[in-house]
Amino acid sequence: QSVLTQPPSVSAAPGQKVTISCSGSSSNIGNNYVSWYQHLPGTAPKLLIYDNNKRPSGIPDRFSGSKSGTSATLGITGLQTGDEADYYCGTWDSSLSGGVFGGGTKLTVL
Amino acid sequence: QVQLVQSGAEVKKPGASVQVSCKTSGYTFTTYGISWVRQAPGQGLEWMASISSYNGDTIYAQKFQGRVTLTTDTSATTAYMELRSLRSDDTAMYYCARDPRLTRESVPNWFDPWGQGTLVTVSS
């Protein structure tokens, strides 16, 4: 059971937009920055979003992040087949004094 | 470019210990921390611990307290993770990742980049 809650799967057609939610509490998302990762099988996870809504160099602006209260959202526009992957949200939990991740969301581009 | 290269796969028996190394390059080692994250087969990501490469300060997930030790070798720009008293449910891919934590007051709130992963298999 993950501390952060994500939908197990989402799907959309190529070119469309999808959002992935991440729900937490005041001890984690509510008072700490959120980051998002893309994980393709057999590769290392890749940072997509940090500090709630910032993109590292090299990440296209098709990827966006937002946070409101104790929830965060990853948005992906202009979906491509190469975006098929597992996506994880992560943050710090002040009560646990540790990093926490969501359970992951599998994105299928139909 | 920033790179983290981990040591190779390990097979261990229950009760044994394993040490995984993470050789970094492409940045000033002492200006970032290193976190360790694992993924068991079919499971999600699990944060284990973080070490400040600046002052060696460590923070461990409650689940791993007493069983994991993080160290760094600044001259070799390498971080190490030792996990002891291995059990079958420790079978997982273990990743190191650079994080922004430098002092006790700061937190590792992002991880970038990640090493390629080290598969640790625990089996009798």
Side-chain angles (χ1 to χ4, degrees):
Chain A
Q1 196 84 355
S2 300
V3 172
L4 306 180
T5 301
Q6 297 181 233
S9 63
V10 296
S11 62
Q16 297 300 302
K17 173 183 177 178
V18 72
T19 60
I20 298 173
S21 62
C22 177
S23 177
S25 67
S26 59
S27 67
N28 42 66
I29 292 178
N31 285 284
N32 291 285
Y33 286 117
V34 176
S35 55
W36 289 91
Y37 304 87
Q38 179 190 63
H39 193 195
L40 289 88
T43 69
K46 180 180 180 181
L47 178 67
L48 295 176
I49 298 290
Y50 69 101
D51 290 357
N52 302 333
N53 56 17
K54 298 177 182 175
R55 279 178 290 106
S57 172
I59 300 300
D61 59 7
R62 300 190 299 109
F63 296 90
S64 64
S66 64
K67 185 181 105 168
S68 178
T70 59
S71 292
T73 302
L74 173 71
I76 311 173
T77 60
L79 278 171
Q80 304 170 2
T81 55
D83 295 332
E84 286 202 334
D86 294 322
Y87 292 83
Y88 292 89
C89 58
T91 188
W92 186 256
D93 191 295
S94 303
S95 294
L96 297 174
S97 293
V100 291
F101 289 99
T105 298
K106 183 175 182 61
L107 169 64
T108 301
V109 181
L110 302 166
Chain B
Q1 74 281 23
V2 178
Q3 280 192 303
L4 280 66
V5 178
Q6 300 181 222
S7 49
E10 302 266 10
V11 179
K12 296 291 183 180
K13 294 195 181 300
S17 299
V18 68
Q19 185 182 65
V20 179
S21 66
C22 175
K23 168 66 177 174
T24 73
S25 61
Y27 72 99
T28 302
F29 184 68
T30 53
T31 60
Y32 290 88
I34 295 287
S35 273
W36 291 84
V37 177
R38 76 177 187 180
Q39 184 177 37
Q43 303 299 309
L45 302 175
E46 180 177 33
W47 180 84
M48 298 176 66
S50 170
I51 184 167
S52 165
S53 305
Y54 172 68
N55 61 11
D57 185 69
T58 53
I59 186 162
Y60 301 104
Q62 292 170 6
K63 175 177 179 177
F64 298 102
Q65 286 272 7
R67 211 160 63 91
V68 67
T69 300
L70 301 190
T71 56
T72 59
D73 180 340
T74 300
S75 63
T77 66
T78 299
Y80 301 89
M81 185 278 296
E82 181 188 37
L83 184 61
R84 300 177 292 278
S85 302
L86 289 168
R87 308 184 290 252
S88 57
D89 62 358
D90 289 319
T91 294
M93 185 70 80
Y94 289 76
Y95 295 99
C96 62
R98 190 179 67 164
D99 73 40
R101 183 172 178 268
L102 284 181
T103 65
R104 180 171 294 273
E105 294 72 32
S106 59
V107 299
N109 55 357
W110 53 255
F111 311 104
D112 179 58
W114 298 54
Q116 83 277 19
T118 297
L119 180 62
V120 175
T121 302
V122 183
S123 174
S124 55

